[in-house]
Amino acid sequence: MIKTKKTIINLDKVSFFYPDRLPILDRLDFTFYQDEKIGMMAPNGSGKTTFFHIIMGLIKPESGKIEIFEKPVTREKDFLEVRRRIGLLFQDSDDQLFNPTVLEDIAFGPLNLGKTKEEAIEISRKTLEFIGLNGFENRITYKLSGGEKKLVALATILAMEPEVLLLDEPSAGLDEKTKERITTILRSLKISYIVVSHEFDFLSEISDSIYTLDRGKILSDAEMYIHQHYHAHPYGGRPHKHKNE
Amino acid sequence: MTLINEHFASGSSVIHRIDPRIKVISAAVFTIILAISQQFETLIAGFFFSFSLVLLAGLNVKEVLKRLFVIIGFLILIWVIVPLTFEGEQLFKIGPFSVMKPGVFLSARITLKSVSILMALMALTATMALSTLGHAMSRLKISGKLVHLFMITIRYIAVIEQEYGRLLRAIKIRGFKPGTNMHTYRTFAYIIGILFVRASSRADRVYQAMRCRGFDGRFISIHEFQTHKRNGVFSALMILIIIFISILEWGHLIEF
Ligand SMILES: Nc1ncnc2c1ncn2[C@@H]1O[C@H](COP(=O)(O)OP(=O)(O)OP(=O)(O)O)[C@@H](O)[C@H]1O
Ligand SMILES: [Mg+2]
């Protein structure tokens, strides 16, 4: 018998719009199961970041129901647990890093989760090593390069040992080698994630299926395929392989 | 050059190893007393103590002087204006200008005060990481909101500075040359405006990111505040210094 997978995120007819604009999320239905690894690729301004922020409770939908870890979430209090268990990597690392030194920034999350100082420092060092940033402990966060910031931001999330990752363009601005490192890291993690990226090759390496956001709704590969090819591949002009080909 | 750096924060002097809370309280009491003192004896003693603290903290004298230079311009202005404009006994005349005694005294007081206060702050509060300072403040029961504000401010002054640099570069590469004309004023007005907008939306996003990492308004620092004998010794020393300069200042009031 097939064991049914746990549902992590379930959005039911969720809508969100800014005043006087077309809806960004339009009665969107979406279900995300445990152990899924999803890539998401959609044009600029299509609402990917908005989608993540809705899941984390940073912005509130106009209408619709959200269930996370099989519990309905509406109030700020409900989202506290969500934020402990789901890690969101922000699109702009400058939003994420605010402590003077790298070590302090990474320790910030574990400390908030109730870890002792020693534990937090230990976790932070281990995470840095895991990411491949040994010796970065005392670097000043705002003096790092863009790519280094991105890696440290990823470390701040991983240090909280989340069950789920939402990564908003983790590969943007990274060189090929660093990108490969992130690919390896993601593949070695035994957790579920949704990754937004504009790079098809990167996404197909790390995910089992690629989704897109189109006119406020999420479409899976199958739907995309039937739908229209160019929605899935804004960069379809570049040579690439399709899964199951 | 960045506006905020933690140049003095790393070090291994006695002062670096004192409990940050003691340093914050000492700095607060010491600088307040100096700020309200009027007697020259007090101010000179205060100057001497501040300078000793700087030495004790093993701060690089050149870096200290560099920071003192920041207020030199302000002090020069005071020395030029105050002695000439203050009413009172004339000290001497330079051409048509008469230099007034009370004005000279006042300028000297301001100079002594500001230099001493700055040195004390460098020795006591700059000898810890800014996050430690924030943590020490929150441990001292200073309102969480205030500490929060302080922490975010120091961090984001750097971001705003970068943002400003980016904007300046953006207008420069498009051939902008500042002049005394409407175009220049308007451009700078836009830049300042956009800077405020960016800073506030940045602050919103940072707060969101902090909440995503489980932040609930309390800052927890990884820096330990160990108890150590030297903390007691240093506290006692600071209390003695503070009593000493207070007596210099107000001793005559209780003399009879
Ligand atoms: N604060 C805001 N006020 C008004 N409109 C906004 C605001 N924030 C975002 N938008 C708009 O909402 C839409 C979706 O934005 P979102 O950031 O979710 O897009 P995205 O898919 O993440 O794009 P990108 O690939 O460029 O990161 C965009 O058209 C954007 O202009
Ligand atoms: Mg985005």
Side-chain angles (χ1 to χ4, degrees):
Chain A
M1 201 192 113
I2 304 165
K3 229 178 110 198
T4 44
K5 290 260 149 117
K6 276 201 181 132
T7 315
I8 295 179
I9 299 168
N10 186 41
L11 302 189
D12 183 17
K13 298 200 180 49
V14 168
S15 297
F16 180 82
F17 43 85
Y18 288 106
D20 308 323
R21 306 240 350 236
L22 284 174
I24 293 163
L25 306 181
D26 186 12
R27 281 164 292 134
L28 174 143
D29 293 323
F30 172 73
T31 312
F32 181 63
Y33 298 98
Q34 195 170 4
D35 296 332
E36 272 195 294
K37 295 175 192 301
I38 292 181
M40 190 183 273
M41 195 162 158
N44 292 128
S46 55
K48 304 175 295 292
T49 300
T50 309
F51 171 67
F52 278 173
H53 286 199
I54 291 261
I55 295 174
M56 298 300 283
L58 298 176
I59 49 181
K60 299 279 182 279
E62 245 53 61
S63 60
K65 277 203 289 263
I66 307 176
E67 276 179 16
I68 298 179
F69 298 115
E70 302 177 329
K71 269 183 264 169
V73 282
T74 44
R75 289 160 306 159
E76 177 70 14
K77 219 178 95 217
D78 306 329
F79 280 103
L80 295 183
E81 195 195 335
V82 171
R83 294 181 195 139
R84 285 168 170 260
R85 297 171 66 183
I86 301 184
L88 168 65
L89 179 78
F90 278 64
Q91 187 165 1
D92 183 350
S93 310
D94 270 327
D95 295 341
Q96 207 138 18
L97 307 176
F98 69 94
N99 281 286
T101 66
V102 169
L103 192 72
E104 279 171 280
D105 216 308
I106 301 178
F108 178 76
L111 286 173
N112 288 333
L113 295 183
K115 297 272 193 286
T116 67
K117 290 173 182 128
E118 292 74 27
E119 286 167 343
I121 293 177
E122 180 67 17
I123 294 170
S124 309
R125 287 195 199 286
K126 283 215 176 103
T127 314
L128 274 178
E129 202 178 305
F130 178 64
I131 294 272
L133 290 179
N134 311 52
F136 269 63
E137 286 86 346
N138 295 318
R139 295 281 296 273
I140 307 292
T141 47
Y142 47 88
K143 289 183 187 162
L144 298 173
S145 80
E148 289 166 343
K149 278 185 195 161
K150 196 121 251 177
L151 289 173
V152 172
L154 182 61
T156 67
I157 304 303
L158 293 179
M160 295 180 73
E161 293 162 356
E163 295 164 45
V164 181
L165 286 176
L166 305 179
L167 307 181
D168 203 346
E169 303 201 15
S171 63
L174 299 185
D175 61 49
E176 287 307 318
K177 242 180 95 194
T178 317
K179 226 178 287 176
E180 263 168 44
R181 204 152 75 205
I182 292 212
T183 307
T184 318
I185 290 168
L186 285 180
R187 289 226 292 233
S188 72
L189 294 172
K190 299 264 172 299
I191 56 179
S192 336
Y193 52 72
I194 307 177
V195 177
V196 163
S197 170
H198 293 295
E199 291 165 88
F200 187 78
D201 293 342
F202 173 69
L203 279 188
S204 58
E205 290 249 347
I206 55 162
S207 49
D208 301 327
S209 40
I210 297 183
Y211 288 17
T212 193
L213 246 172
D214 182 41
R215 279 170 276 174
K217 291 208 168 53
I218 287 189
L219 307 176
S220 67
D221 343 24
E223 291 165 297
M224 261 175 350
Y225 198 73
I226 301 164
H227 203 73
Q228 248 174 23
H229 193 82
Y230 66 80
H231 282 309
H233 310 310
Y235 306 108
R238 280 167 45 185
H240 61 264
K241 270 199 293 216
H242 284 184
K243 293 221 158 192
N244 315 322
E245 241 178 33
Chain B
M1 173 78 194
T2 45
L3 289 174
I4 288 188
N5 55 29
E6 298 187 305
H7 192 94
F8 294 137
S10 53
S12 55
S13 78
V14 193
I15 296 215
H16 282 90
R17 282 176 287 154
I18 300 290
D19 186 324
R21 289 169 294 180
I22 296 175
K23 290 197 278 186
V24 170
I25 297 179
S26 311
V29 178
F30 186 70
T31 52
I32 288 172
I33 291 189
L34 278 190
I36 56 178
S37 291
Q38 295 300 329
Q39 310 287 336
F40 270 106
E41 293 89 332
T42 321
L43 296 176
I44 289 168
F47 178 84
F48 169 75
F49 286 127
S50 299
F51 187 64
S52 315
L53 287 172
V54 167
L55 291 183
L56 205 58
L59 303 184
N60 182 333
V61 178
K62 222 176 95 196
E63 289 294 328
V64 173
L65 286 179
K66 228 164 82 187
R67 280 163 182 71
L68 288 179
F69 262 108
V70 174
I71 55 166
I72 294 275
F74 161 75
L75 290 177
I76 288 176
L77 207 70
I78 286 186
W79 277 101
V80 169
I81 295 170
V82 176
L84 300 182
T85 50
F86 238 67
E87 291 289 307
E89 190 187 331
Q90 182 182 318
L91 209 58
F92 55 87
K93 260 176 113 90
I94 312 172
F97 303 109
S98 31
V99 176
M100 303 301 182
K101 207 168 163 187
V104 171
F105 283 173
L106 183 65
S107 307
R109 273 194 207 106
I110 293 175
T111 308
L112 275 173
K113 276 186 198 190
S114 45
V115 171
S116 311
I117 288 176
L118 213 63
M119 284 199 302
L121 288 178
M122 275 188 260
L124 294 174
T125 55
T127 47
M128 60 182 101
L130 291 169
S131 55
T132 310
L133 182 55
H135 187 47
M137 280 160 60
S138 71
R139 280 283 198 87
L140 290 170
K141 303 270 180 295
I142 291 172
S143 143
K145 283 212 174 79
L146 215 69
V147 176
H148 188 156
L149 196 72
F150 170 77
M151 297 295 291
I152 301 300
T153 309
I154 51 176
R155 168 64 183 87
Y156 281 91
I157 283 179
V159 170
I160 292 167
E161 200 187 356
Q162 283 170 5
E163 210 88 72
Y164 178 65
R166 225 173 281 156
L167 285 168
L168 279 191
R169 260 170 275 144
I171 57 171
K172 264 189 210 144
I173 57 162
R174 286 196 275 157
F176 176 78
K177 267 201 228 78
T180 40
N181 52 41
M182 206 48 213
H183 177 61
T184 302
Y185 302 143
R186 194 169 38 230
T187 307
F188 275 109
Y190 284 163
I191 285 188
I192 290 163
I194 203 88
L195 217 56
F196 275 113
V197 173
R198 283 195 195 180
S200 95
S201 71
R202 169 77 74 189
D204 286 346
R205 292 199 305 274
V206 170
Y207 183 52
Q208 289 182 336
M210 289 169 75
R211 282 192 294 162
C212 282
R213 289 206 273 154
F215 179 67
D216 60 1
R218 284 172 307 137
F219 270 103
I220 313 167
S221 165
I222 54 172
H223 300 279
E224 277 294 348
F225 295 161
Q226 322 104 308
T227 47
H228 191 281
K229 203 172 67 202
R230 74 171 85 86
N231 287 327
V233 176
F234 184 77
S235 308
L237 186 72
M238 283 311 294
I239 291 172
L240 283 180
I241 291 178
I242 286 162
I243 291 177
F244 180 71
I245 58 173
S246 305
I247 289 176
L248 279 183
E249 179 67 22
W250 295 293
H252 63 280
L253 295 179
I254 47 169
E255 223 159 19
F256 54 88

